[in-house]
Amino acid sequence: MVRYSLLRILIFFGFVFLFWLIGLRDNTLLLLGASALASAAASYILLRGMRDEITAKLLERHEAKLEAQQTSGPDPDSDEAAEDAEIDRADDPRNADR
């Protein structure tokens, strides 16, 4: 992820330098705006593979975390467990007269 961010920054500064050489040095706002748009488009195309790898790793980590939570069951000290116990007591027919 750090490598991806560094490449995005390098692409941005590459476009800043390129547009500065072309002659946009008089208008700083135009120089930075054009560089931001051009670097976003170039990064979208050039860094697609790296972005897909990062997304796949994040998805795997998220799914593993969800699976670990499901296999371990709810934490007995959590608010969810207390609420479930309260609902179970309210639904119990033996507690209907209380």
Side-chain angles (χ1 to χ4, degrees):
M1 187 119 152
V2 173
R3 187 174 76 173
Y4 176 80
S5 298
L6 287 175
L7 287 173
R8 292 273 321 246
I9 291 169
L10 285 174
I11 291 171
F12 172 74
F13 282 115
F15 276 105
V16 167
F17 183 67
L18 176 70
F19 289 145
W20 185 80
L21 286 176
I22 290 175
L24 293 180
R25 50 189 100 129
D26 295 335
N27 190 344
T28 307
L29 187 62
L30 182 61
L31 173 67
L32 294 177
S35 298
L37 287 174
S39 68
S43 296
Y44 182 76
I45 294 168
L46 298 174
L47 302 178
R48 175 174 286 181
M50 190 180 299
R51 191 173 53 249
D52 291 342
E53 288 176 25
I54 292 170
T55 303
K57 287 179 185 177
L58 289 173
L59 183 61
E60 287 176 16
R61 189 168 48 176
H62 178 70
E63 288 175 350
K65 186 177 180 182
L66 286 178
E67 185 178 323
Q69 286 178 348
Q70 290 175 353
T71 57
S72 67
D75 182 14
D77 296 330
S78 71
D79 288 340
E80 290 179 22
E83 290 172 0
D84 291 342
E86 184 71 29
I87 291 170
D88 290 343
R89 275 184 288 200
D91 292 342
D92 191 357
R94 293 177 285 176
N95 293 332
D97 58 343
R98 292 183 190 170

